[in-house]
Protein backbone atom coordinates (compact mmCIF):
# COMPACT_ATOMS: atom_id res chain seq x y z
CA UNK A 1 0.00 0.00 0.00
CA UNK A 2 1.31 3.42 -0.87
CA UNK A 3 0.87 6.20 1.61
CA UNK A 4 -0.12 9.09 -0.59
CA UNK A 5 -0.58 11.38 2.38
CA UNK A 6 3.10 11.80 3.17
CA UNK A 7 4.19 14.29 0.49
CA UNK A 8 0.93 16.17 1.00
CA UNK A 9 1.45 16.24 4.75
CA UNK A 10 5.00 17.52 4.47
CA UNK A 11 3.96 20.05 1.87
CA UNK A 12 1.12 21.32 4.04
CA UNK A 13 3.30 21.56 7.14
CA UNK A 14 6.20 23.23 5.34
CA UNK A 15 4.07 25.87 3.64
CA UNK A 16 2.22 26.61 6.86
CA UNK A 17 5.49 26.81 8.81
CA UNK A 18 6.94 29.27 6.30
CA UNK A 19 3.83 31.44 6.52
CA UNK A 20 3.77 31.45 10.30
CA UNK A 21 7.48 31.30 11.06
CA UNK A 22 7.40 34.50 13.10
CA UNK A 23 4.80 33.08 15.44
CA UNK A 24 6.93 30.15 16.54
CA UNK A 25 7.47 29.83 20.26
CA UNK A 26 10.29 27.47 21.12
CA UNK A 27 11.31 26.72 24.63
CA UNK A 28 14.09 24.64 25.99
CA UNK A 29 12.71 22.11 28.43
CA UNK A 30 13.63 23.32 31.87
CA UNK A 31 15.06 26.47 30.37
CA UNK A 32 13.72 29.94 30.76
CA UNK A 33 10.39 30.56 29.06
CA UNK A 34 10.76 33.77 27.09
CA UNK A 35 7.34 34.33 25.58
CA UNK A 36 4.76 32.17 27.27
CA UNK A 37 3.70 31.91 30.89
CA UNK A 38 3.73 28.12 30.97
CA UNK A 39 6.93 26.28 31.83
CA UNK A 40 6.41 22.63 31.00
CA UNK A 41 8.05 19.97 33.16
CA UNK A 42 10.91 18.19 31.43
CA UNK A 43 10.39 14.79 33.05
CA UNK A 44 7.17 13.61 34.67
CA UNK A 45 7.03 10.12 36.14
CA UNK A 46 4.12 7.84 36.87
CA UNK A 47 4.20 4.26 38.12
CA UNK A 48 2.19 1.20 37.23
CA UNK A 49 3.08 -2.13 38.84
CA UNK A 50 6.82 -2.73 38.36
CA UNK A 51 7.17 -0.03 35.71
CA UNK A 52 8.21 3.57 35.92
CA UNK A 53 6.79 5.52 32.96
CA UNK A 54 8.67 8.76 32.33
CA UNK A 55 7.26 11.45 30.06
CA UNK A 56 10.20 13.19 28.38
CA UNK A 57 9.65 16.59 26.83
CA UNK A 58 11.70 16.90 23.66
CA UNK A 59 10.24 20.22 22.50
CA UNK A 60 7.32 22.59 22.78
CA UNK A 61 6.02 25.05 20.22
CA UNK A 62 3.24 26.28 18.01
CA UNK A 63 1.86 24.15 15.21
CA UNK A 64 2.06 25.78 11.78
CA UNK A 65 -1.47 26.82 10.82
CA UNK A 66 -4.66 27.57 12.70
CA UNK A 67 -6.38 25.01 14.89
CA UNK A 68 -9.65 25.24 12.93
CA UNK A 69 -7.63 24.62 9.78
CA UNK A 70 -6.27 21.32 11.09
CA UNK A 71 -9.45 20.21 12.85
CA UNK A 72 -12.04 21.50 10.38
CA UNK A 73 -15.00 19.53 11.84
CA UNK A 74 -14.58 20.83 15.40
CA UNK A 75 -17.49 22.95 16.59
CA UNK A 76 -17.42 25.88 19.00
CA UNK A 77 -18.78 23.58 21.71
CA UNK A 78 -15.96 21.08 21.04
CA UNK A 79 -13.36 23.85 21.44
CA UNK A 80 -14.93 25.00 24.71
CA UNK A 81 -14.62 21.47 26.12
CA UNK A 82 -11.11 21.05 24.75
CA UNK A 83 -9.99 24.33 26.33
CA UNK A 84 -11.19 23.07 29.69
CA UNK A 85 -9.14 19.87 29.26
CA UNK A 86 -5.95 21.50 27.93
CA UNK A 87 -5.92 25.29 28.28
CA UNK A 88 -2.23 25.47 27.35
CA UNK A 89 -3.03 24.26 23.82
CA UNK A 90 -4.73 27.56 23.02
CA UNK A 91 -2.22 30.11 21.81
CA UNK A 92 -2.85 33.59 20.40
CA UNK A 93 -4.62 34.04 17.06
CA UNK A 94 -6.22 30.60 16.88
CA UNK A 95 -2.86 28.85 17.14
CA UNK A 96 -2.26 25.40 18.60
CA UNK A 97 0.50 25.12 21.19
CA UNK A 98 1.74 21.62 21.75
CA UNK A 99 4.31 19.48 23.47
CA UNK A 100 6.45 17.01 21.53
CA UNK A 101 7.00 14.15 23.91
CA UNK A 102 8.62 10.73 24.11
CA UNK A 103 8.20 8.18 26.89
CA UNK A 104 10.72 5.96 28.63
CA UNK A 105 9.57 2.89 30.51
CA UNK A 106 11.99 1.53 33.09
CA UNK A 107 11.30 -1.93 34.39
CA UNK A 108 12.86 -4.25 36.93
CA UNK A 109 16.59 -4.52 36.29
CA UNK A 110 16.79 -0.97 34.99
CA UNK A 111 16.40 -1.77 31.30
CA UNK A 112 14.60 0.96 29.39
CA UNK A 113 12.11 0.91 26.54
CA UNK A 114 11.90 4.23 24.75
CA UNK A 115 8.68 5.06 22.93
CA UNK A 116 9.32 7.53 20.10
CA UNK A 117 12.35 9.75 19.70
CA UNK A 118 10.94 13.25 19.20
CA UNK A 119 11.66 16.01 16.70
CA UNK A 120 15.40 15.44 16.68
CA UNK A 121 18.37 17.76 16.32
CA UNK A 122 18.71 20.85 14.14
CA UNK A 123 18.63 19.67 10.54
CA UNK A 124 16.40 16.65 11.22
CA UNK A 125 13.46 16.18 8.82
CA UNK A 126 11.12 17.83 11.36
CA UNK A 127 13.08 21.09 10.96
CA UNK A 128 10.85 21.92 7.99
CA UNK A 129 8.02 22.76 10.38
CA UNK A 130 8.56 21.74 14.01
CA UNK A 131 10.48 23.45 16.84
CA UNK A 132 13.98 22.01 16.65
CA UNK A 133 16.43 21.28 18.06
CA UNK A 134 14.70 18.93 20.43
CA UNK A 135 16.45 18.23 23.71
CA UNK A 136 15.97 14.51 24.20
CA UNK A 137 19.64 13.62 24.90
CA UNK A 138 19.80 16.18 27.72
CA UNK A 139 16.39 15.12 29.01
CA UNK A 140 17.46 11.47 29.12
CA UNK A 141 20.51 12.48 31.18
CA UNK A 142 18.22 14.47 33.46
CA UNK A 143 16.08 11.32 33.89
CA UNK A 144 19.16 9.27 34.75
CA UNK A 145 19.00 7.21 31.57
CA UNK A 146 22.17 6.35 29.68
CA UNK A 147 21.90 5.53 26.01
CA UNK A 148 23.04 1.98 26.59
CA UNK A 149 20.29 1.44 29.18
CA UNK A 150 17.87 1.56 26.26
CA UNK A 151 17.45 -1.94 24.87
CA UNK A 152 14.23 -1.32 22.95
CA UNK A 153 12.88 1.63 21.00
CA UNK A 154 9.27 1.47 19.85
CA UNK A 155 8.41 3.93 17.10
CA UNK A 156 4.65 4.51 17.17
CA UNK A 157 4.81 5.67 13.56
CA UNK A 158 7.19 7.16 11.03
CA UNK A 159 6.33 10.86 11.14
CA UNK A 160 9.18 13.36 11.48
CA UNK A 161 8.24 14.48 15.01
CA UNK A 162 8.35 10.91 16.34
CA UNK A 163 11.61 9.54 14.93
CA UNK A 164 13.92 12.59 15.08
CA UNK A 165 16.52 11.28 17.54
CA UNK A 166 16.61 7.74 16.14
CA UNK A 167 19.90 8.76 14.58
CA UNK A 168 22.26 11.48 15.73
CA UNK A 169 23.47 14.43 13.66
CA UNK A 170 26.11 12.13 12.11
CA UNK A 171 23.42 9.74 10.84
CA UNK A 172 24.37 6.81 13.06
CA UNK A 173 21.87 5.18 15.43
CA UNK A 174 21.58 6.94 18.79
CA UNK A 175 20.67 3.75 20.64
CA UNK A 176 23.07 1.17 19.25
CA UNK A 177 22.08 -1.54 21.76
CA UNK A 178 18.36 -1.29 21.03
CA UNK A 179 16.09 -3.22 18.72
CA UNK A 180 13.74 -0.74 17.06
CA UNK A 181 10.18 -2.02 16.83
CA UNK A 182 8.09 -0.68 13.95
CA UNK A 183 4.99 -2.22 12.39
CA UNK A 184 5.90 -3.73 9.02
CA UNK A 185 2.75 -2.12 7.57
CA UNK A 186 4.15 1.28 8.52
CA UNK A 187 7.41 0.66 6.66
CA UNK A 188 5.63 -0.83 3.63
CA UNK A 189 3.34 2.19 3.40
CA UNK A 190 6.19 4.70 3.04
CA UNK A 191 6.22 6.40 -0.34
CA UNK A 192 9.46 6.33 -2.32
CA UNK A 193 11.43 9.39 -1.30
CA UNK A 194 9.86 9.66 2.16
CA UNK A 195 12.56 10.99 4.46
CA UNK A 196 11.77 8.23 6.99
CA UNK A 197 13.32 5.73 4.57
CA UNK A 198 16.71 7.40 4.31
CA UNK A 199 16.74 8.90 7.82
CA UNK A 200 15.45 5.95 9.86
CA UNK A 201 14.69 2.72 8.03
CA UNK A 202 17.92 2.41 6.04
CA UNK A 203 20.39 3.32 8.84
CA UNK A 204 18.60 1.00 11.28
CA UNK A 205 18.47 -1.82 8.76
CA UNK A 206 22.16 -1.39 7.92
CA UNK A 207 23.03 -1.55 11.63
CA UNK A 208 20.87 -4.65 12.17
CA UNK A 209 18.65 -2.74 14.59
CA UNK A 210 15.38 -2.63 12.63
CA UNK A 211 12.80 -5.01 14.08
CA UNK A 212 9.64 -4.99 11.95
CA UNK A 213 6.63 -6.64 13.61
CA UNK A 214 3.17 -7.70 12.49
CA UNK A 215 0.29 -6.82 14.76
CA UNK A 216 0.15 -7.07 18.53
CA UNK A 217 3.43 -8.14 20.12
CA UNK A 218 4.74 -8.42 23.67
CA UNK A 219 7.70 -6.07 24.02
CA UNK A 220 8.61 -7.03 27.57
CA UNK A 221 7.28 -9.07 30.50
CA UNK A 222 4.42 -11.52 30.59
CA UNK A 223 0.70 -10.85 30.40
CA UNK A 224 -0.78 -10.66 33.90
CA UNK A 225 2.59 -10.14 35.58
CA UNK A 226 3.45 -6.74 34.26
CA UNK A 227 4.04 -6.34 30.56
CA UNK A 228 4.61 -3.95 27.70
CA UNK A 229 2.67 -4.67 24.54
CA UNK A 230 2.77 -2.99 21.15
CA UNK A 231 -0.82 -2.66 19.98
CA UNK A 232 -1.75 -1.71 16.41
CA UNK A 233 -3.81 1.50 16.41
CA UNK A 234 -4.05 2.37 12.69
CA UNK A 235 -5.56 5.44 11.08
CA UNK A 236 -3.24 8.32 11.85
CA UNK A 237 -0.84 6.31 9.68
CA UNK A 238 -1.31 2.88 8.13
CA UNK A 239 0.89 1.05 10.63
CA UNK A 240 0.49 3.24 13.69
CA UNK A 241 0.94 1.47 17.04
CA UNK A 242 0.54 2.34 20.72
CA UNK A 243 2.21 0.79 23.76
CA UNK A 244 0.21 -0.66 26.63
CA UNK A 245 2.13 -0.65 29.92
CA UNK A 246 0.19 -3.11 32.06
CA UNK A 247 1.25 -2.99 35.68
CA UNK A 248 -1.29 -5.61 36.76
CA UNK A 249 -3.69 -3.60 38.90
CA UNK A 250 -3.64 -0.57 36.63
CA UNK A 251 -2.22 0.39 33.26
CA UNK A 252 -1.03 3.23 31.09
CA UNK A 253 -1.53 3.46 27.33
CA UNK A 254 1.16 5.38 25.47
CA UNK A 255 -1.04 6.46 22.61
CA UNK A 256 1.27 8.00 20.02
CA UNK A 257 -0.93 10.12 17.74
CA UNK A 258 -4.27 8.33 18.09
CA UNK A 259 -5.35 11.68 19.49
CA UNK A 260 -3.18 14.70 18.85
CA UNK A 261 -5.22 17.46 20.54
CA UNK A 262 -7.58 17.60 23.51
CA UNK A 263 -10.38 18.38 21.05
CA UNK A 264 -10.19 14.72 20.01
CA UNK A 265 -10.51 13.72 23.65
CA UNK A 266 -13.54 15.99 24.02
CA UNK A 267 -15.02 14.89 20.69
CA UNK A 268 -13.42 11.69 19.34
CA UNK A 269 -15.24 12.02 16.00
CA UNK A 270 -13.24 15.15 15.18
CA UNK A 271 -10.72 14.30 12.48
CA UNK A 272 -7.22 15.69 12.24
CA UNK A 273 -6.59 17.00 8.75
CA UNK A 274 -3.35 15.07 8.29
CA UNK A 275 -4.69 11.67 9.28
CA UNK A 276 -3.89 9.01 6.69
CA UNK A 277 -7.29 7.29 6.93
CA UNK A 278 -9.91 9.28 8.82
CA UNK A 279 -12.64 6.62 9.28
CA UNK A 280 -10.06 4.13 10.60
CA UNK A 281 -8.47 6.78 12.83
CA UNK A 282 -11.89 7.62 14.25
CA UNK A 283 -12.71 3.97 14.96
CA UNK A 284 -9.31 3.44 16.59
CA UNK A 285 -9.78 6.53 18.77
CA UNK A 286 -13.19 5.37 19.96
CA UNK A 287 -11.90 1.88 20.75
CA UNK A 288 -8.87 3.17 22.63
CA UNK A 289 -10.95 5.63 24.69
CA UNK A 290 -13.65 3.08 25.47
CA UNK A 291 -11.08 0.52 26.61
CA UNK A 292 -9.29 3.14 28.68
CA UNK A 293 -12.52 4.08 30.46
CA UNK A 294 -13.48 0.44 30.99
CA UNK A 295 -10.11 -0.40 32.54
CA UNK A 296 -9.58 2.94 34.31
CA UNK A 297 -6.49 3.39 32.16
CA UNK A 298 -4.38 6.55 32.02
CA UNK A 299 -3.38 7.88 28.60
CA UNK A 300 0.13 9.12 27.85
CA UNK A 301 -0.09 11.24 24.71
CA UNK A 302 2.55 12.83 22.52
CA UNK A 303 1.10 16.29 22.07
CA UNK A 304 -1.46 17.18 24.77
CA UNK A 305 0.20 19.63 27.16
CA UNK A 306 -0.08 17.32 30.16
CA UNK A 307 1.78 14.06 29.90
CA UNK A 308 -0.81 11.88 31.60
CA UNK A 309 -4.56 12.26 31.16
CA UNK A 310 -7.49 10.21 32.31
CA UNK A 311 -10.12 10.09 29.55
ZN1 LIG B 1 2.98 13.69 16.23
Amino acid sequence: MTNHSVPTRRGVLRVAAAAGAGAFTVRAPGGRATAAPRRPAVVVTRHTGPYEVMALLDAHGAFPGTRQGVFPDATDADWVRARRLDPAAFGPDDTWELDFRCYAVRGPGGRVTLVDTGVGPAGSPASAWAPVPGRLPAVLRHAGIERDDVDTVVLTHLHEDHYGWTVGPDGTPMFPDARHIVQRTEIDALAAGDSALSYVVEPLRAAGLLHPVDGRVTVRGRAGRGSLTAVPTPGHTAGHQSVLVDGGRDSIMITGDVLVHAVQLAAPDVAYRLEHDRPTARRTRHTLLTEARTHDRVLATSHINQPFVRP
Side-chain angles (χ1 to χ4, degrees):
M1 196 198 307
T2 306
N3 183 351
H4 293 288
S5 76
V6 169
T8 312
R9 167 191 151 80
R10 283 188 57 78
V12 167
L13 291 170
R14 200 171 278 173
V15 167
F24 246 68
T25 308
V26 182
R27 263 170 289 157
R32 215 163 275 152
T34 50
R38 181 176 162 270
R39 204 173 294 186
V42 180
V43 180
V44 178
T45 302
R46 199 174 170 111
H47 292 83
T48 176
Y51 297 110
E52 194 182 357
V53 180
M54 287 168 273
L56 310 174
L57 186 68
D58 185 44
H60 177 91
F63 192 84
T66 63
R67 61 173 188 265
Q68 195 69 57
V70 277
F71 303 98
D73 319 332
T75 64
D76 288 349
D78 296 335
W79 290 123
V80 167
R81 288 162 65 209
R83 192 186 284 268
R84 235 178 272 139
L85 294 168
D86 188 12
F90 293 77
D93 303 325
D94 200 25
T95 51
W96 170 22
E97 291 275 338
L98 69 163
D99 285 353
F100 293 85
R101 213 180 288 112
C102 317
Y103 288 85
V105 185
R106 187 151 50 195
R111 308 304 289 165
V112 171
T113 299
L114 185 63
V115 181
D116 286 337
T117 64
V119 295
S124 71
S127 325
W129 62 274
V132 294
R135 301 298 176 96
L136 184 64
V139 176
L140 284 169
R141 279 196 297 278
H142 186 79
I145 297 170
E146 303 290 336
R147 286 185 203 178
D148 56 10
D149 295 337
V150 178
D151 66 4
T152 308
V153 175
V154 178
L155 296 173
T156 59
H157 63 296
L158 294 175
H159 278 166
E160 309 87 349
D161 54 323
H162 293 259
Y163 65 60
W165 286 106
T166 304
V167 297
D170 65 354
T172 61
M174 284 280 282
F175 305 98
D177 298 330
R179 62 184 173 143
H180 291 62
I181 295 178
V182 189
Q183 290 288 327
R184 197 183 313 275
T185 322
E186 183 73 358
I187 299 169
D188 292 348
L190 291 172
D194 190 304
S195 56
L197 281 171
S198 55
Y199 200 81
V200 181
V201 173
E202 285 159 16
L204 289 179
R205 192 172 272 148
L209 300 175
L210 186 66
H211 192 80
V213 296
D214 300 294
R216 191 179 176 104
V217 292
T218 301
V219 175
R220 192 182 291 283
R222 271 192 286 171
R225 295 200 171 181
S227 60
L228 262 67
T229 308
V231 181
T233 44
H236 181 77
T237 59
H240 189 282
Q241 60 186 343
S242 303
V243 176
L244 177 62
V245 186
D246 186 353
R249 285 230 286 268
D250 50 21
S251 57
I252 296 172
M253 181 66 105
I254 303 173
T255 62
D257 279 359
V258 171
L259 47 148
V260 296
H261 189 293
V263 76
Q264 294 183 303
L265 198 55
D269 279 339
V270 168
Y272 170 51
R273 189 177 158 202
L274 300 174
E275 276 162 356
H276 163 76
D277 175 347
R278 289 182 195 179
T280 304
R282 195 173 284 141
R283 264 198 308 278
T284 291
R285 200 154 42 244
H286 274 288
T287 303
L288 182 136
L289 289 170
T290 302
E291 286 180 0
R293 287 180 186 124
T294 305
H295 299 288
D296 195 22
R297 186 171 285 161
V298 169
L299 304 182
T301 75
S302 305
H303 300 304
I304 292 178
N305 297 278
Q306 316 154 38
F308 299 102
V309 291
R310 210 174 269 280

